[in-house]
Amino acid sequence: MAGLVGQLGARRVLGVHAGAVSAPAVTVSRLTGRYCLPESLRLRTDQVGAGYGALTEPAGSALLFAARTEGLMLDPVHTGRAPAGLAAARADGTVRPGQRPVPLRSGGLPGFFGHAPAPAVAESGLTAEGRAAFRPSRDGTPPAAWPNSINTPAAMAGSSA
């Protein structure tokens, strides 16, 4: 985000905070060499969830959506949060019809392999049974399979327990 803010300006960049740093505005200021007021940054903090490394329900939904519709395998920590943040921005009007956001993610592959259940979650979205297991109910209640079964120590280790 810092490089884009440095080149394009804070108002043209919408960042999605993944929880990797405690003070994103300070980090952007340090990396750009210019002070950035926190309120000057367009930074979504609503996708952090339980914290860095914890898979969130919106990110999980984005993982499944990207796998089903585009055949994309996204890492759950950063790249899953980015489209979840974009969907939230579209829903709340931050990104309006007619605007053309250009998603940019310049990493994330190590995070994909560091989160053992990510390939299984993405692949499960390709089957009817997998989609049903991770689909919220009509009242919006998250299914029992999401996200706790993915974030258990056994799942993180790749165990089927």
Side-chain angles (χ1 to χ4, degrees):
M1 178 175 182
L4 291 173
V5 168
Q7 292 299 310
L8 302 174
R11 299 312 312 156
R12 295 192 63 199
V13 178
L14 174 62
V16 178
H17 184 35
V21 298
S22 61
V26 172
T27 302
V28 170
S29 294
R30 183 177 51 79
L31 292 172
T32 60
R34 293 183 285 183
Y35 179 72
C36 297
L37 291 170
E39 60 273 9
S40 73
L41 296 175
R42 294 179 60 210
L43 180 64
R44 296 197 71 93
T45 59
D46 59 344
Q47 300 302 314
V48 174
Y52 184 78
L55 184 61
T56 65
E57 184 178 342
S61 295
L63 290 171
L64 294 175
F65 182 80
R68 285 195 315 254
T69 61
E70 302 298 329
L72 295 173
M73 300 286 283
L74 306 176
D75 100 81
V77 175
H78 293 100
T79 325
R81 283 185 168 112
L86 183 58
R90 176 63 183 94
D92 70 17
T94 302
V95 174
R96 296 179 305 282
Q99 289 183 312
R100 295 184 178 180
V102 179
L104 173 66
R105 173 68 179 120
S106 59
L109 190 59
F112 180 77
F113 291 106
H115 204 296
V121 170
E123 287 174 7
S124 74
L126 301 176
T127 67
E129 296 83 17
R131 287 192 300 275
F134 292 104
R135 186 175 297 126
S137 67
R138 290 189 187 271
D139 68 359
T141 305
W146 190 264
N148 294 334
S149 65
I150 293 170
N151 285 326
T152 63
M156 297 301 241
S159 169
S160 60

PDB file of all heavy atoms in Angstrom, residues 121-144:
ATOM      1  N   VAL A 121     -10.005 -26.064   1.363  1.00  0.00           N
ATOM      2  CA  VAL A 121     -11.168 -25.180   1.391  1.00  0.00           C
ATOM      3  C   VAL A 121     -11.503 -24.718  -0.021  1.00  0.00           C
ATOM      4  O   VAL A 121     -12.658 -24.760  -0.444  1.00  0.00           O
ATOM      5  CB  VAL A 121     -10.925 -23.963   2.317  1.00  0.00           C
ATOM      6  CG1 VAL A 121     -12.022 -22.930   2.147  1.00  0.00           C
ATOM      7  CG2 VAL A 121     -10.845 -24.414   3.757  1.00  0.00           C
ATOM      8  N   ALA A 122     -10.499 -24.296  -0.775  1.00  0.00           N
ATOM      9  CA  ALA A 122     -10.738 -23.840  -2.139  1.00  0.00           C
ATOM     10  C   ALA A 122     -11.276 -24.973  -3.005  1.00  0.00           C
ATOM     11  O   ALA A 122     -12.235 -24.792  -3.753  1.00  0.00           O
ATOM     12  CB  ALA A 122      -9.454 -23.270  -2.735  1.00  0.00           C
ATOM     13  N   GLU A 123     -10.679 -26.156  -2.892  1.00  0.00           N
ATOM     14  CA  GLU A 123     -11.139 -27.287  -3.685  1.00  0.00           C
ATOM     15  C   GLU A 123     -12.548 -27.703  -3.294  1.00  0.00           C
ATOM     16  O   GLU A 123     -13.346 -28.095  -4.144  1.00  0.00           O
ATOM     17  CB  GLU A 123     -10.182 -28.463  -3.540  1.00  0.00           C
ATOM     18  CG  GLU A 123      -8.872 -28.243  -4.266  1.00  0.00           C
ATOM     19  CD  GLU A 123      -7.863 -29.351  -3.993  1.00  0.00           C
ATOM     20  OE1 GLU A 123      -8.221 -30.357  -3.350  1.00  0.00           O
ATOM     21  OE2 GLU A 123      -6.713 -29.193  -4.431  1.00  0.00           O
ATOM     22  N   SER A 124     -12.885 -27.629  -2.016  1.00  0.00           N
ATOM     23  CA  SER A 124     -14.223 -28.033  -1.583  1.00  0.00           C
ATOM     24  C   SER A 124     -15.286 -27.128  -2.197  1.00  0.00           C
ATOM     25  O   SER A 124     -16.418 -27.551  -2.378  1.00  0.00           O
ATOM     26  CB  SER A 124     -14.335 -28.015  -0.062  1.00  0.00           C
ATOM     27  OG  SER A 124     -14.404 -26.687   0.425  1.00  0.00           O
ATOM     28  N   GLY A 125     -14.922 -25.907  -2.515  1.00  0.00           N
ATOM     29  CA  GLY A 125     -15.868 -24.996  -3.140  1.00  0.00           C
ATOM     30  C   GLY A 125     -16.219 -25.385  -4.556  1.00  0.00           C
ATOM     31  O   GLY A 125     -17.166 -24.869  -5.134  1.00  0.00           O
ATOM     32  N   LEU A 126     -15.473 -26.323  -5.121  1.00  0.00           N
ATOM     33  CA  LEU A 126     -15.726 -26.752  -6.490  1.00  0.00           C
ATOM     34  C   LEU A 126     -16.781 -27.852  -6.559  1.00  0.00           C
ATOM     35  O   LEU A 126     -17.245 -28.191  -7.641  1.00  0.00           O
ATOM     36  CB  LEU A 126     -14.425 -27.234  -7.142  1.00  0.00           C
ATOM     37  CG  LEU A 126     -13.309 -26.187  -7.191  1.00  0.00           C
ATOM     38  CD1 LEU A 126     -12.040 -26.800  -7.764  1.00  0.00           C
ATOM     39  CD2 LEU A 126     -13.732 -24.979  -8.004  1.00  0.00           C
ATOM     40  N   THR A 127     -17.180 -28.422  -5.434  1.00  0.00           N
ATOM     41  CA  THR A 127     -18.193 -29.475  -5.410  1.00  0.00           C
ATOM     42  C   THR A 127     -19.455 -28.945  -4.751  1.00  0.00           C
ATOM     43  O   THR A 127     -19.410 -28.030  -3.929  1.00  0.00           O
ATOM     44  CB  THR A 127     -17.711 -30.706  -4.628  1.00  0.00           C
ATOM     45  OG1 THR A 127     -17.589 -30.348  -3.249  1.00  0.00           O
ATOM     46  CG2 THR A 127     -16.383 -31.232  -5.163  1.00  0.00           C
ATOM     47  N   ALA A 128     -20.592 -29.544  -5.094  1.00  0.00           N
ATOM     48  CA  ALA A 128     -21.861 -29.125  -4.494  1.00  0.00           C
ATOM     49  C   ALA A 128     -21.847 -29.351  -2.990  1.00  0.00           C
ATOM     50  O   ALA A 128     -22.309 -28.516  -2.218  1.00  0.00           O
ATOM     51  CB  ALA A 128     -23.019 -29.882  -5.138  1.00  0.00           C
ATOM     52  N   GLU A 129     -21.270 -30.492  -2.558  1.00  0.00           N
ATOM     53  CA  GLU A 129     -21.216 -30.774  -1.128  1.00  0.00           C
ATOM     54  C   GLU A 129     -20.337 -29.760  -0.406  1.00  0.00           C
ATOM     55  O   GLU A 129     -20.657 -29.306   0.679  1.00  0.00           O
ATOM     56  CB  GLU A 129     -20.673 -32.196  -0.874  1.00  0.00           C
ATOM     57  CG  GLU A 129     -21.548 -33.298  -1.422  1.00  0.00           C
ATOM     58  CD  GLU A 129     -21.298 -33.559  -2.904  1.00  0.00           C
ATOM     59  OE1 GLU A 129     -20.261 -33.144  -3.461  1.00  0.00           O
ATOM     60  OE2 GLU A 129     -22.188 -34.172  -3.521  1.00  0.00           O
ATOM     61  N   GLY A 130     -19.229 -29.420  -1.016  1.00  0.00           N
ATOM     62  CA  GLY A 130     -18.326 -28.443  -0.404  1.00  0.00           C
ATOM     63  C   GLY A 130     -18.965 -27.077  -0.303  1.00  0.00           C
ATOM     64  O   GLY A 130     -18.865 -26.407   0.722  1.00  0.00           O
ATOM     65  N   ARG A 131     -19.655 -26.651  -1.352  1.00  0.00           N
ATOM     66  CA  ARG A 131     -20.321 -25.348  -1.310  1.00  0.00           C
ATOM     67  C   ARG A 131     -21.381 -25.325  -0.216  1.00  0.00           C
ATOM     68  O   ARG A 131     -21.516 -24.359   0.510  1.00  0.00           O
ATOM     69  CB  ARG A 131     -20.928 -25.013  -2.669  1.00  0.00           C
ATOM     70  CG  ARG A 131     -19.892 -24.645  -3.703  1.00  0.00           C
ATOM     71  CD  ARG A 131     -20.524 -24.045  -4.940  1.00  0.00           C
ATOM     72  NE  ARG A 131     -21.456 -24.919  -5.613  1.00  0.00           N
ATOM     73  CZ  ARG A 131     -21.131 -25.840  -6.516  1.00  0.00           C
ATOM     74  NH1 ARG A 131     -19.881 -26.000  -6.870  1.00  0.00           N
ATOM     75  NH2 ARG A 131     -22.051 -26.574  -7.092  1.00  0.00           N
ATOM     76  N   ALA A 132     -22.139 -26.430  -0.078  1.00  0.00           N
ATOM     77  CA  ALA A 132     -23.181 -26.485   0.940  1.00  0.00           C
ATOM     78  C   ALA A 132     -22.583 -26.451   2.344  1.00  0.00           C
ATOM     79  O   ALA A 132     -23.144 -25.835   3.243  1.00  0.00           O
ATOM     80  CB  ALA A 132     -24.025 -27.744   0.753  1.00  0.00           C
ATOM     81  N   ALA A 133     -21.439 -27.083   2.544  1.00  0.00           N
ATOM     82  CA  ALA A 133     -20.824 -27.139   3.872  1.00  0.00           C
ATOM     83  C   ALA A 133     -20.369 -25.774   4.349  1.00  0.00           C
ATOM     84  O   ALA A 133     -20.314 -25.518   5.552  1.00  0.00           O
ATOM     85  CB  ALA A 133     -19.633 -28.104   3.866  1.00  0.00           C
ATOM     86  N   PHE A 134     -20.043 -24.884   3.431  1.00  0.00           N
ATOM     87  CA  PHE A 134     -19.506 -23.581   3.809  1.00  0.00           C
ATOM     88  C   PHE A 134     -20.464 -22.434   3.526  1.00  0.00           C
ATOM     89  O   PHE A 134     -20.109 -21.290   3.680  1.00  0.00           O
ATOM     90  CB  PHE A 134     -18.173 -23.336   3.093  1.00  0.00           C
ATOM     91  CG  PHE A 134     -17.099 -24.254   3.574  1.00  0.00           C
ATOM     92  CD1 PHE A 134     -16.704 -25.339   2.816  1.00  0.00           C
ATOM     93  CD2 PHE A 134     -16.502 -24.062   4.799  1.00  0.00           C
ATOM     94  CE1 PHE A 134     -15.722 -26.193   3.261  1.00  0.00           C
ATOM     95  CE2 PHE A 134     -15.519 -24.910   5.260  1.00  0.00           C
ATOM     96  CZ  PHE A 134     -15.131 -25.987   4.494  1.00  0.00           C
ATOM     97  N   ARG A 135     -21.688 -22.720   3.109  1.00  0.00           N
ATOM     98  CA  ARG A 135     -22.649 -21.677   2.792  1.00  0.00           C
ATOM     99  C   ARG A 135     -23.414 -21.266   4.049  1.00  0.00           C
ATOM    100  O   ARG A 135     -23.965 -22.120   4.746  1.00  0.00           O
ATOM    101  CB  ARG A 135     -23.628 -22.191   1.742  1.00  0.00           C
ATOM    102  CG  ARG A 135     -24.572 -21.104   1.245  1.00  0.00           C
ATOM    103  CD  ARG A 135     -25.463 -21.590   0.119  1.00  0.00           C
ATOM    104  NE  ARG A 135     -24.649 -21.942  -1.030  1.00  0.00           N
ATOM    105  CZ  ARG A 135     -24.712 -23.126  -1.637  1.00  0.00           C
ATOM    106  NH1 ARG A 135     -25.523 -24.062  -1.225  1.00  0.00           N
ATOM    107  NH2 ARG A 135     -23.941 -23.378  -2.679  1.00  0.00           N
ATOM    108  N   PRO A 136     -23.489 -19.970   4.345  1.00  0.00           N
ATOM    109  CA  PRO A 136     -24.290 -19.529   5.493  1.00  0.00           C
ATOM    110  C   PRO A 136     -25.764 -19.854   5.259  1.00  0.00           C
ATOM    111  O   PRO A 136     -26.208 -19.969   4.127  1.00  0.00           O
ATOM    112  CB  PRO A 136     -24.081 -18.013   5.531  1.00  0.00           C
ATOM    113  CG  PRO A 136     -22.866 -17.764   4.718  1.00  0.00           C
ATOM    114  CD  PRO A 136     -22.808 -18.865   3.698  1.00  0.00           C
ATOM    115  N   SER A 137     -26.525 -19.981   6.342  1.00  0.00           N
ATOM    116  CA  SER A 137     -27.956 -20.232   6.215  1.00  0.00           C
ATOM    117  C   SER A 137     -28.637 -18.977   5.689  1.00  0.00           C
ATOM    118  O   SER A 137     -28.037 -17.900   5.619  1.00  0.00           O
ATOM    119  CB  SER A 137     -28.534 -20.636   7.567  1.00  0.00           C
ATOM    120  OG  SER A 137     -28.473 -19.536   8.446  1.00  0.00           O
ATOM    121  N   ARG A 138     -29.906 -19.111   5.359  1.00  0.00           N
ATOM    122  CA  ARG A 138     -30.653 -17.965   4.810  1.00  0.00           C
ATOM    123  C   ARG A 138     -30.715 -16.793   5.788  1.00  0.00           C
ATOM    124  O   ARG A 138     -30.826 -15.657   5.368  1.00  0.00           O
ATOM    125  CB  ARG A 138     -32.059 -18.392   4.421  1.00  0.00           C
ATOM    126  CG  ARG A 138     -32.074 -19.295   3.212  1.00  0.00           C
ATOM    127  CD  ARG A 138     -33.503 -19.499   2.738  1.00  0.00           C
ATOM    128  NE  ARG A 138     -33.559 -20.473   1.695  1.00  0.00           N
ATOM    129  CZ  ARG A 138     -33.440 -20.180   0.401  1.00  0.00           C
ATOM    130  NH1 ARG A 138     -33.263 -18.951   0.029  1.00  0.00           N
ATOM    131  NH2 ARG A 138     -33.506 -21.136  -0.494  1.00  0.00           N
ATOM    132  N   ASP A 139     -30.654 -17.076   7.087  1.00  0.00           N
ATOM    133  CA  ASP A 139     -30.699 -15.983   8.058  1.00  0.00           C
ATOM    134  C   ASP A 139     -29.324 -15.371   8.320  1.00  0.00           C
ATOM    135  O   ASP A 139     -29.167 -14.511   9.162  1.00  0.00           O
ATOM    136  CB  ASP A 139     -31.348 -16.435   9.370  1.00  0.00           C
ATOM    137  CG  ASP A 139     -30.512 -17.435  10.147  1.00  0.00           C
ATOM    138  OD1 ASP A 139     -29.412 -17.816   9.689  1.00  0.00           O
ATOM    139  OD2 ASP A 139     -30.964 -17.844  11.225  1.00  0.00           O
ATOM    140  N   GLY A 140     -28.295 -15.850   7.581  1.00  0.00           N
ATOM    141  CA  GLY A 140     -26.961 -15.290   7.703  1.00  0.00           C
ATOM    142  C   GLY A 140     -26.092 -15.958   8.743  1.00  0.00           C
ATOM    143  O   GLY A 140     -24.944 -15.591   8.938  1.00  0.00           O
ATOM    144  N   THR A 141     -26.646 -16.963   9.450  1.00  0.00           N
ATOM    145  CA  THR A 141     -25.869 -17.664  10.461  1.00  0.00           C
ATOM    146  C   THR A 141     -24.773 -18.472   9.787  1.00  0.00           C
ATOM    147  O   THR A 141     -25.044 -19.234   8.860  1.00  0.00           O
ATOM    148  CB  THR A 141     -26.777 -18.612  11.273  1.00  0.00           C
ATOM    149  OG1 THR A 141     -27.851 -17.860  11.802  1.00  0.00           O
ATOM    150  CG2 THR A 141     -25.995 -19.293  12.377  1.00  0.00           C
ATOM    151  N   PRO A 142     -23.517 -18.327  10.221  1.00  0.00           N
ATOM    152  CA  PRO A 142     -22.456 -19.106   9.585  1.00  0.00           C
ATOM    153  C   PRO A 142     -22.633 -20.589   9.870  1.00  0.00           C
ATOM    154  O   PRO A 142     -23.113 -20.967  10.937  1.00  0.00           O
ATOM    155  CB  PRO A 142     -21.168 -18.585  10.208  1.00  0.00           C
ATOM    156  CG  PRO A 142     -21.561 -17.657  11.280  1.00  0.00           C
ATOM    157  CD  PRO A 142     -23.019 -17.434  11.239  1.00  0.00           C
ATOM    158  N   PRO A 143     -22.286 -21.438   8.923  1.00  0.00           N
ATOM    159  CA  PRO A 143     -22.407 -22.877   9.134  1.00  0.00           C
ATOM    160  C   PRO A 143     -21.409 -23.357  10.178  1.00  0.00           C
ATOM    161  O   PRO A 143     -20.394 -22.723  10.427  1.00  0.00           O
ATOM    162  CB  PRO A 143     -22.093 -23.463   7.761  1.00  0.00           C
ATOM    163  CG  PRO A 143     -21.262 -22.429   7.094  1.00  0.00           C
ATOM    164  CD  PRO A 143     -21.735 -21.104   7.621  1.00  0.00           C
ATOM    165  N   ALA A 144     -21.696 -24.499  10.764  1.00  0.00           N
ATOM    166  CA  ALA A 144     -20.820 -25.063  11.788  1.00  0.00           C
ATOM    167  C   ALA A 144     -19.432 -25.351  11.238  1.00  0.00           C
ATOM    168  O   ALA A 144     -18.448 -25.295  11.962  1.00  0.00           O
ATOM    169  CB  ALA A 144     -21.439 -26.334  12.358  1.00  0.00           C
TER     170      ALA A 144
END
